[in-house]
Amino acid sequence: MADTVSDPLPPQGGGGRRTALFTPLKPVAPALRTTLGIACFVLFFLGWGIATYGGFVKPLFLASPGDSLKAGWALFTEFGFAEDIGVTVWRVLAGFALAALVAVPLGILMGAFKPVEAFFEAFVSFARYLPASAFIPLLILWAGVGEMQKILVIFIGSVFQLVIMVTVIVSGTRTDLVEAAYTLGAKRDGVVRRVLLPASAPQIFEALRLVLGWAWTYVIVAELVGASRGIGHMIIDAQRFLDTGQMIFGIFVIGVIGLVTDLAFRTLNARLFPWAKGR
Amino acid sequence: MSKLSIRGVEKTFPGRPGSSGATAATRALEPTSLEVADNDFITILGPSGCGKSTLLRIVAGLETPSAGEVRLDGQPVHGPGPDRGMVFQSYTLFPWLSVRDNVCFGLRERGVPRAEQLAVADRFLAQVGLKGFENHYPAQLSGGMQQRTALARALANDPKMLLLDEPFGALDHQTREVMQELLLGIWEQHRKTVMFVTHDIDEAIFMASRVVVMSARPGRIKCDVPIELPHPRSYKVKTTPEFAAYKEQLTEEIRVETIKTLSMEA
Ligand SMILES: Nc1ncnc2c1ncn2[C@@H]1O[C@H](COP(=O)(O)OP(=O)(O)OP(=O)(O)O)[C@@H](O)[C@H]1O
Ligand SMILES: [Mg+2]
């Protein structure tokens, strides 16, 4: 096999195939990767099933997989859960897009121009530690309990983190590439647009993927207080009726949406930046 | 009048303060003067750490001298510009651009129309033997191919001078020799003024019309040897007695400096 030659060799005298599989940083075949990923889910459901069907946990505390699924079916057919999902997804995307719209350009400016960084850095680092959920009472006072308040919670939770991440990414651009651009006649503007930007784009995209994940936690927190629709509101509603099946199904739906957007981001990243493959 | 004139250029890198990580200031370059004539091919030879890169980077405008000045065509140099094309020791192709777009980069920055960019890029890519690789990304190229692309990228800009900092340093011996012939062929054709940094004595003699030897750190110019081997040169010149004589002379000069460097570190 050709690839065994170039791979880092495991230390000699080990236990054959199994040690070969556990060589640090050595990639696994795609098929094995998928199988292992699914196996973890299977194990998770198995554990859940044994705990509930085996009677180790009372249904009041933890619904079985079957009951949760049934509760989910009822949610969609009787309680218009699809609309709740739509509302929550919209809130996440709106808050996230707003944060990205502010944070990405600001982060690029801070990364590229050190006076801008010096001006904003201390404030952003301070603001980054303010918990978004602590703003909810204030935001209700300012913006009421409407959509704007939910979107602002997500915005506050995401924007400062994102600014810092983008700044670090842009600051880390290889200086030799910048120098090469100057010797080729690029001016400051050209260096920012045609070196710093493309060089950081894949990592900025990766940062957006991470922050979108956090945006989901903020939206649920925002919906637990003063909301009439949304997945978070449904979960709180279900709590009043001690319907663990519905609660679990709601949490599960969030996980599935997260998994799908993550996959979409990764695919898009590989499509947009084929040159960055394997780095 | 000479093309490039380096007058009393010196460089001291400031030290870093701090209780644990403090470093003293480094004197990298003693006051150095050098006149480079139009169409000259100067190779700069010296032991590691003697300030060769520092000198080249000052000429490129990437580093400001602590004292002295550099003039190109009589104009003082302030900062980098497209009139001095540079090929770095490290691989500095833009990873997000195809080979062709890398070569177009400088032309694009200057606002050359796209059709003309492509014509120029393809001409220089053909010259460095990379026809058929125009649409590859740098990560898909070998080290030698990347440096050839970097050379084409610098040449496409039609600079007044070409500055090369050990461009073939990371390549194996055979590839390196072929690259030397390629570069020499291009120089014989375009007659650019070239400054080429190396620590390989054969390479320095083979390419140069003048070899400048630098002393151990802090660097200064120790001797300046005109190389009177006929052009066009092929690799066969390396086995002639004239070549051997130059090699013997320069080996002796360099040896003294290398020993100095080592005893300084000890
Ligand atoms: N940015 C810097 N800050 C501090 N010291 C530096 C800096 N750049 C170079 N030096 C120091 O200046 C001296 C000369 O460095 P330079 O890179 O010019 O050497 P060189 O001759 O190119 O060596 P080599 O052949 O190993 O590339 C070295 O002692 C180095 O440590
Ligand atoms: Mg060097």
Side-chain angles (χ1 to χ4, degrees):
Chain A
M1 281 194 289
D3 62 343
T4 49
V5 178
S6 59
D7 281 334
L9 290 173
Q12 292 294 303
R17 229 182 103 77
R18 199 168 321 136
T19 31
L21 214 51
F22 284 94
T23 306
L25 300 184
K26 189 176 172 347
V28 295
L32 181 60
R33 202 186 143 90
T34 315
T35 314
L36 286 173
I38 292 172
C40 186
F41 271 98
V42 170
L43 229 69
F44 170 74
F45 281 107
L46 214 68
W48 182 10
I50 290 171
T52 48
Y53 293 122
F56 296 103
V57 184
K58 280 205 199 113
L60 179 63
F61 296 116
L62 185 64
S64 66
D67 285 346
S68 300
L69 215 62
K70 253 182 264 163
W73 178 253
L75 274 175
F76 277 116
T77 52
E78 292 164 39
F79 299 98
F81 189 47
E83 197 201 335
D84 283 319
I85 293 178
V87 166
T88 302
V89 168
W90 187 84
R91 285 170 182 158
V92 169
L93 290 183
F96 173 74
L98 214 60
L101 225 57
V102 172
V104 172
L106 184 61
I108 290 169
L109 284 177
M110 285 171 64
F113 302 108
K114 295 307 154 189
V116 183
E117 182 178 10
F119 182 77
F120 283 110
E121 197 192 15
F123 180 79
V124 172
S125 301
F126 155 77
R128 190 161 77 101
Y129 283 97
L130 306 177
S133 42
F135 277 90
I136 292 176
L138 257 184
L139 287 172
I140 291 177
L141 203 64
W142 295 340
V145 290
E147 292 306 300
M148 195 35 100
Q149 174 252 331
K150 315 279 183 299
I151 292 170
L152 281 177
V153 172
I154 297 165
F155 176 80
I156 291 174
S158 320
V159 72
F160 300 110
Q161 310 279 356
L162 198 53
V163 167
I164 298 268
M165 289 165 93
V166 174
T167 304
V168 169
I169 290 167
V170 174
S171 299
T173 308
R174 282 169 55 190
T175 47
D176 56 352
L177 293 185
V178 174
E179 288 181 342
Y182 278 128
T183 65
L184 290 166
K187 301 274 174 284
R188 272 178 291 186
D189 173 71
V191 166
V192 174
R193 283 168 193 271
R194 286 180 290 278
V195 181
L196 298 187
L197 266 186
S200 339
Q203 285 161 280
I204 291 179
F205 214 75
E206 191 64 14
L208 286 173
R209 182 174 75 87
L210 283 174
V211 171
L212 182 58
W214 302 341
W216 271 93
T217 58
Y218 297 126
V219 78
I220 299 303
V221 172
E223 284 178 349
L224 293 180
V225 185
S228 53
R229 288 182 306 172
I231 301 177
H233 167 254
M234 184 285 286
I235 292 174
I236 276 291
D237 235 24
Q239 189 200 14
R240 280 195 289 159
F241 301 102
L242 295 177
D243 193 334
T244 46
Q246 286 190 358
M247 288 192 254
I248 288 171
F249 189 80
I251 294 169
F252 205 77
V253 164
I254 297 170
V256 170
I257 295 173
L259 196 68
V260 170
T261 43
D262 219 65
L263 216 66
F265 253 93
R266 275 167 204 259
T267 317
L268 201 61
N269 203 339
R271 277 275 165 78
L272 287 175
F273 314 111
W275 55 269
K277 216 183 319 178
R279 289 198 324 156
Chain B
M1 195 186 72
S2 55
K3 185 87 179 164
L4 179 82
S5 121
I6 300 170
R7 291 181 194 156
V9 161
E10 52 179 287
K11 181 75 186 180
T12 306
F13 289 103
R16 236 186 315 112
S19 51
S20 59
T23 53
T26 308
R27 183 126 180 97
L29 209 57
E30 291 278 291
T32 299
S33 298
L34 183 70
E35 299 292 320
V36 181
D38 203 10
N39 301 341
D40 246 0
F41 196 126
I42 302 248
T43 53
I44 299 173
L45 195 57
S48 186
C50 74
K52 305 182 295 292
S53 296
T54 305
L55 181 62
L56 205 68
R57 287 172 59 80
I58 289 173
V59 174
L62 295 172
E63 211 84 70
T64 43
S66 312
E69 68 164 359
V70 175
R71 280 173 183 267
L72 180 64
D73 283 335
Q75 298 299 315
V77 160
H78 300 292
D83 51 353
R84 285 148 291 142
M86 179 123 177
V87 179
F88 297 79
Q89 177 167 13
S90 60
Y91 301 134
T92 56
L93 295 183
F94 303 114
W96 56 91
L97 295 179
S98 68
V99 164
R100 180 185 275 131
D101 283 329
N102 261 285
V103 178
C104 288
F105 187 91
L107 301 167
R108 188 180 156 180
E109 292 299 313
R110 294 210 320 253
V112 173
R114 182 69 180 162
E116 197 183 324
Q117 287 177 27
L118 294 178
V120 172
D122 284 353
R123 185 152 51 83
F124 281 103
L125 280 173
Q127 196 153 37
V128 297
L130 284 176
K131 229 190 175 104
F133 291 93
E134 293 89 345
N135 296 319
H136 281 55
Y137 285 111
Q140 297 170 295
L141 301 182
S142 71
M145 290 158 102
Q146 292 197 42
Q147 288 305 65
R148 275 186 280 164
T149 309
L151 185 61
R153 183 175 70 174
L155 284 167
N157 239 359
D158 194 23
K160 291 180 183 167
M161 278 197 81
L162 214 48
L163 308 172
L164 303 117
D165 190 356
E166 301 192 37
F168 314 142
L171 306 181
D172 66 77
H173 191 71
Q174 283 74 19
T175 312
R176 200 177 165 122
E177 293 207 309
V178 176
M179 297 282 283
Q180 290 165 5
E181 279 195 280
L182 179 96
L183 176 59
L184 200 58
I186 289 172
W187 177 75
E188 281 161 354
Q189 187 190 339
H190 295 276
R191 286 279 163 170
K192 296 265 174 226
T193 309
V194 179
M195 269 177 94
F196 186 107
V197 165
T198 179
H199 52 229
D200 182 318
I201 296 174
D202 281 26
E203 183 168 85
I205 301 168
F206 178 63
M207 316 276 287
S209 49
R210 266 167 77 194
V211 177
V212 170
V213 179
M214 286 180 70
S215 70
R217 190 169 58 113
R220 65 190 162 70
I221 291 173
K222 190 185 180 208
C223 65
D224 190 334
V225 183
I227 303 292
E228 267 135 23
L229 297 169
H231 281 281
R233 286 178 200 167
S234 82
Y235 66 97
K236 292 199 177 102
V237 80
K238 291 183 181 174
T239 50
T240 61
E242 291 85 356
F243 193 94
Y246 282 124
K247 186 165 177 179
E248 194 184 330
Q249 180 192 353
L250 290 168
T251 306
E252 206 49 54
E253 300 278 5
I254 281 287
R255 220 181 111 75
V256 177
E257 296 310 320
T258 311
I259 291 170
K260 261 195 236 163
T261 310
L262 293 177
S263 61
M264 224 159 50
E265 281 165 5

